[in-house]
Amino acid sequence: MKAKIVGLGLLFCLIGPLAITYLLLQFQKKQIRREVKQQMIAGIDKNDLVLLTFTQEEANKKLRWEHSKEFEFENNMYDVVIQESNGNTISFWCWLDHEETQLNKTLKTLFTLALHDHKQHRHQQENLLLFFKTLFLNKNICYNFFNNETITISTNYHNNLISWEFTPTIPPPEFG
């Protein structure tokens, strides 16, 4: 039971910093969204907005929607202030959200680093396993070279080191 608690503690030490950082970044995203909404309500000058116009097909393919008033386009986050529709085209007057764009880039970087560390950790585990396999010998082949003597050849997994093991003759030879 004590080993399980220690194991859970070590697991938390490994995962905790990443999880806490992720939660803090999500909290910052929510705060920034609130600030942007407050700025929109206060009235943003139309000159500060970005006009993006798409066909319906382009909008479906190029835009990744967070919710009905926010989307990502070309790795930038936009908040929709005004949406206009003319036949097959849709125009969005948007606020380019620099802070949320930077937060998303930071999150992607963190996940990339975590994934890389996971791959590196797995590679280190494989190398350690290969090392341990070289420490144990595996008896493979037995040859009988002489009538009363058996030689066993043992090889390890990687270096093909050979050790000789001689079995004494039974009964012992008589000299005389």
Side-chain angles (χ1 to χ4, degrees), residues 62-100:
K62 294 181 179 180
L63 303 181
R64 187 184 62 81
W65 289 89
E66 291 285 324
H67 54 80
S68 64
K69 294 288 186 181
E70 183 178 24
F71 63 86
E72 182 179 11
F73 174 65
E74 294 179 348
N75 294 325
N76 291 314
M77 295 301 295
Y78 294 93
D79 294 314
V80 177
V81 179
I82 301 170
Q83 180 176 342
E84 299 171 349
S85 178
N86 294 329
N88 193 28
T89 62
I90 300 172
S91 298
F92 299 102
W93 286 94
C94 303
W95 172 261
L96 178 55
D97 196 344
H98 296 287
E99 292 88 3
E100 191 165 356

Side-chain angles (χ1 to χ4, degrees), residues 142-173:
C142 292
Y143 292 107
N144 190 354
F145 288 108
F146 305 104
N147 291 339
N148 296 328
E149 213 174 303
T150 302
I151 299 174
T152 304
I153 298 175
S154 300
T155 61
N156 72 355
Y157 286 89
H158 294 286
N159 297 328
N160 292 327
L161 297 174
I162 298 175
S163 64
W164 298 85
E165 184 179 299
F166 293 98
T167 307
T169 57
I170 299 175

